[in-house]
Amino acid sequence: MTHRRTFFKAAGATLLGAASVSRVGAAALPEAVIQTSAAMQLPPAPPNGRPYQPLVTLNGWSLPWRMKDNVKEFHLVAEPVVREIAPGMKANLWGYNGQSPGPTIEAVEGDRIRIFVTNSLPEVTSVHWHGVLLPSGMDGVTGLTQPPIGVGKTFMYEFVLQRSGTFMYHPHADEMVQMAMGMMGLFIVHPKDPKQFKVDRDFGFILNAYDIEPGSATPRVNTMLDFNLWTWNSRAFPGIDPFVARTGERVRIRVGNLTMTNHPIHMHGPHFDVTGTDGGWVPRSARWPEVTTDLAVGQMRALEFDAVAGDWAIHCHKSHHTMNAMGHGVPTMIGVDHRDVAKKITRLIPDYMVMGERGMHEMAEMEMPLPDNTLPMMTGTGPFGPVGMGGMFSVVKVRDDVRRGDFKDPGPYRHPAGTLASEYAAATPEVVRASAPQADASTSQVRKPTGHEGH
Ligand SMILES: [Cu+2]
């Protein structure tokens, strides 16, 4: 559901007199569009200005603009928001225009844009336009290039977009807190010539992470590395949208990293090329095929591939990042038979469970009681049972019959006959193990006696 509300309602009329834009300017602010849903909102074709193919933001949306005297005017409102991380869990975050991440800003190379930023947070902020070429004074670094945007104030940023590419925006004010709370968004500059770098589908998301104690809803903002929720656009699997495409289409996925660590993003199925970084487009001669590309902190990558029919997992390859909140202090129980101990413990703690001695997959199948507002560590169900994944995981779903512009989840893939792994039903022969190599007399000093089996 999209609400439209004016600046007057958003920030309160009493704040206007003290705002950093003039009264005339403030009265002329474009309305701030607020989004309260975490569902993907398909962006419409641009209503005016140069044509481009809109980005599909995972579990997100693009910010409408107002064209005024040939300038695209956007209005961001920095504010506390509630974001559904996945069904069953909501988080109290800070973001823009009702959501975290904020809306994607889309414009075209050569556009002059004016972005009004209203601060409805309880503390000062600023916005840095990560990767965008602009005058130093528009760069958004509090103290260095501008005073902070005070509580209730509105700032105006204005610049001409010089190069197309994949960029981001985020605060450069109390940023440890403000990024830990979810303040970020994508900034896409489309090429002036729509035929240049053309793809059939263009997706985008930001890697982010939170430390939210199971049972609570507000991130701990002082966490340096030990985050427990690894998310794409502040969503965890199975709450992350699939990447839907038609067989043979050229697909681009743009990824930015605003967490505190690197993420090797790995896609099953077709190989991809990295065609863009946060510095722009990679020349064709400098691309090489990949199935995993590592994103360092602050980096952006655009991946492109030709879609092949199937359900292809796409995920961060750090295995802890495809898990939801978990206790990392749990001891490894593989190979430990602790059923006898468990019986004794159950007399004291009736809910005590034996788990982990044959690995942890059984936890994916278990319906364990959890605190309210918490996601299971491994969750999500596929056509063959529990997927046993959470966090930074989604699926590239490619089908022969997806219509152009259709991004709806097509359901599970129907594998052509003879292309599906299955159980071998006939009798299995005895496993033959290679015999251990004979000890080399020159290096071994101890020989076990042989021929004494009768003892
Ligand atoms: Cu990761």
Side-chain angles (χ1 to χ4, degrees):
M1 193 168 59
T2 300
H3 298 298
R4 286 168 179 266
R5 68 189 195 198
T6 62
F7 173 78
F8 296 90
K9 283 180 199 149
T14 51
L15 298 171
L16 274 180
S20 302
V21 290
S22 69
R23 275 167 187 276
V24 177
L29 273 174
E31 63 183 355
V33 181
I34 306 293
Q35 179 59 253
T36 55
S37 163
M40 178 194 285
Q41 310 290 322
L42 282 187
N48 50 43
R50 296 183 176 96
Y52 63 81
Q53 186 196 321
L55 186 90
V56 173
T57 307
L58 283 200
N59 301 99
W61 57 299
S62 291
L63 188 61
W65 67 81
R66 172 179 75 182
M67 193 67 97
K68 193 183 178 194
D69 304 328
N70 225 20
V71 178
K72 277 182 185 165
E73 290 186 335
F74 297 87
H75 190 176
L76 283 176
V77 178
E79 60 180 1
V81 304
V82 174
R83 175 72 164 178
E84 187 193 62
I85 302 285
M89 184 188 178
K90 287 184 174 156
N92 299 325
L93 304 180
W94 288 358
Y96 300 91
N97 300 52
Q99 288 292 294
S100 158
T104 299
I105 295 174
E106 292 188 82
V108 180
E109 193 183 3
D111 281 354
R112 173 174 283 275
I113 63 168
R114 188 176 296 132
I115 306 177
F116 296 88
V117 180
T118 297
N119 181 8
S120 297
L121 294 170
E123 68 166 352
V124 301
T125 191
S126 74
V127 184
H128 166 59
W129 316 99
H130 183 118
V132 180
L133 295 174
L134 36 62
S136 166
M138 292 291 166
D139 201 37
V141 182
T142 303
L144 179 67
T145 66
Q146 67 165 82
I149 309 175
V151 175
K153 306 285 177 87
T154 295
F155 259 58
M156 220 165 57
Y157 296 88
E158 183 170 332
F159 40 90
V160 174
L161 299 170
Q162 300 170 45
R163 280 171 78 179
S164 67
T166 307
F167 311 111
M168 303 187 276
Y169 63 91
H170 63 77
H172 248 298
D174 192 15
E175 57 207 66
M176 182 192 77
V177 168
Q178 296 191 7
M179 309 257 289
M181 289 294 284
M183 299 193 71
M184 52 194 73
L186 284 168
F187 192 141
I188 305 297
V189 182
H190 296 281
K192 198 181 272 184
D193 174 3
K195 286 197 285 293
Q196 205 184 10
F197 312 117
K198 194 180 177 321
V199 288
D200 298 303
R201 289 174 192 245
D202 201 348
F203 296 92
F205 66 92
I206 294 176
L207 302 160
N208 45 13
Y210 299 99
D211 183 14
I212 303 177
E213 182 84 347
S216 70
T218 303
R220 284 194 283 220
V221 294
N222 295 314
T223 298
M224 191 156 63
L225 291 172
D226 207 4
F227 295 85
N228 62 12
L229 277 169
W230 300 97
T231 53
W232 290 359
N233 277 357
S234 306
R235 293 280 284 184
F237 183 76
I240 302 175
D241 284 326
F243 302 84
V244 176
R246 183 189 176 94
T247 308
E249 280 183 333
R250 185 75 176 166
V251 179
R252 179 185 296 134
I253 299 178
R254 311 188 196 223
V255 192
N257 181 5
L258 289 178
T259 71
M260 301 289 217
T261 188
N262 64 311
H263 300 278
I265 297 300
H266 174 60
M267 188 179 82
H268 300 203
H271 301 165
F272 59 76
D273 285 348
V274 174
T275 59
T277 74
D278 25 358
W281 301 101
V282 179
R284 208 166 276 276
S285 59
R287 299 175 189 174
W288 63 82
E290 299 251 38
V291 290
T292 306
T293 189
D294 194 25
L295 275 94
V297 180
Q299 284 188 329
M300 307 214 62
R301 293 288 180 265
L303 330 175
E304 282 180 35
F305 58 94
D306 297 320
V308 173
D311 276 347
W312 305 112
I314 178 169
H315 58 95
C316 173
H317 218 292
K318 287 186 173 174
S319 49
H320 281 229
H321 295 183
T322 54
M323 298 274 128
N324 294 326
M326 64 184 292
H328 291 100
V330 176
T332 297
M333 298 303 286
I334 291 172
V336 178
D337 183 350
H338 61 309
R339 273 167 295 189
D340 279 351
V341 181
K343 256 182 234 155
K344 289 173 193 156
I345 297 175
T346 325
R347 276 182 228 136
L348 298 168
I349 310 163
D351 284 344
Y352 184 80
M353 284 187 297
V354 174
M355 60 187 194
E357 65 192 45
R358 291 178 302 276
M360 288 195 177
H361 181 76
E362 59 190 12
M363 293 179 69
E365 295 175 335
M366 226 178 260
E367 295 278 322
M368 288 189 292
L370 293 167
D372 285 346
N373 199 44
T374 298
L375 298 174
M377 187 172 94
M378 299 181 272
T379 180
T381 307
F384 302 101
V387 179
M389 291 284 175
M392 294 177 159
F393 183 95
S394 186
V395 183
V396 177
K397 295 192 169 200
V398 182
R399 305 288 184 271
D400 296 344
D401 57 356
V402 168
R403 279 176 294 114
R404 184 170 281 277
D406 186 359
F407 292 86
K408 273 197 314 291
D409 188 336
Y413 181 60
R414 282 204 232 125
H415 302 268
T419 67
L420 180 64
S422 58
E423 186 176 352
Y424 178 71
T428 47
E430 211 169 297
V431 174
V432 180
R433 296 188 192 278
S435 53
Q438 292 298 309
D440 181 344
S442 65
T443 55
S444 64
Q445 297 177 330
V446 180
R447 278 177 183 253
K448 287 198 172 176
T450 53
H452 296 266
E453 288 83 1
H455 287 229

